[in-house]
Amino acid sequence: MITVDVALERVLAGLAPTATEVVALPAALGRVLAEDACARLAHPPSDVSAMDGYAVRAEDIAQPGSRLTVIGESGAGHPFTGIVGPGQAVRIFTGAPMAKGACSVVMQEDTSREADIVIITTTQAAGRHVRPQGADFSVGECLLKAGTLLGPRQIGLAAAMNLPWLTVRRRPRIAILSTGDEIVMPGDPVGPAQIVSSNGPALAAMIAQAGGEPVQLGIAKDSRNSLSAMIKAAAGCDLLVTSGGASVGDYDLVQDVLAEQGLELDFWKIAIRPGKPLMYGKLKHVPVLGLPGNPVSAMVCAYVFLLPMLRALQGLTPVVPPVAARLGGPVKANDGRQDYQRASLERRPDGSLVATPFPRQDSAVVSGLAAAGCLLIRPPHAPEGKDGDPVLVMPLPDGT
């Protein structure tokens, strides 16, 4: 068996980001930017008021008690078109363009009003309460770099930069193939020797959440013809993920059918718990990741291997480093396999993270995986751990 690190290095080797495509800004959420995005508009686009008040000339308010004639009003979207001269002021509101001739804004609280006369009760320097043109960014500034994962904040910035279209990476198309005569889809009649498939829906959700496009091929029966037909349906995808058959015999069937279609097997079996029977190879240049059929094993291996592959295909840094935490309870010494224990993750008032492994670590307990906030990483041959010991964890993106 090879180590987790070696296996991860092999599955990531040679993965290239998908091609680029141009999408409308509303469709860019969750996508990865493929080219630097540069501003087509300064922000703010002109000098604007930072307060409600009066736009004035600084020289007209050198002394408290100045009396100025209000000659107009400037509101957001409705600028004052005249010019402020000596002894004059313009009523102005937050975000409104500065009136020409004025260089400062006096807050409304520092004034009183008598008809068209405003009395200034304070003094201040030029430029006070004014946001100058381009104070945030100027035309041509490239504020969003290639490789940026676009969330709501980045979408808002792109909108402020006046970018209605963005060049992003195409969503990786990931084919999902579940196998086994005993598997049925949720809602279908369940026979006495059958179980409901959870791997397919879970993997599809993980892929979609991580920016990929899941392609559900269905459930292949334990026959060469069924497997062969469904494997062929994965043509054109960026990655084929299979799940099912934890025993040697079951995987031999999948491997044999894949081999008949040109699979170049890289490895099978790695030193990991849960999920030792993990397969990886290439089928006519399409990577194939064979996950165990056990639901928890399949999902743990997907977090460890599939998510980094999805990130690499989108041009992101593949591996997210584990996070430092402290044990919230004792753990036994580990054997030669890297163990990923399901655990809760709590942030204490002092800011520290505490990972408490669940009492049941059975790889068939899907409820425990659903309740986990992280995977507690136990390296090979790790000694016993006690409450408070430092550990590394993999926070789950959808963890509680």
Side-chain angles (χ1 to χ4, degrees), residues 370-390:
C374 69
L375 297 176
L376 172 61
I377 305 171
R378 297 283 290 156
H381 308 294
E384 290 184 7
K386 62 181 184 299
D387 189 15
D389 281 352

Side-chain angles (χ1 to χ4, degrees), residues 178 185-186 197-206 216:
S178 300
M185 290 299 293
S197 171
S198 62
N199 289 357
L203 290 169
M206 176 186 285
Q216 289 276 22

Side-chain angles (χ1 to χ4, degrees), residues 326-329 345-356 387-388:
R326 294 196 173 276
L327 270 175
L345 189 62
E346 175 191 5
R347 188 172 292 280
R348 296 285 171 84
D350 63 359
S352 64
L353 288 173
V354 176
T356 305
D387 189 15

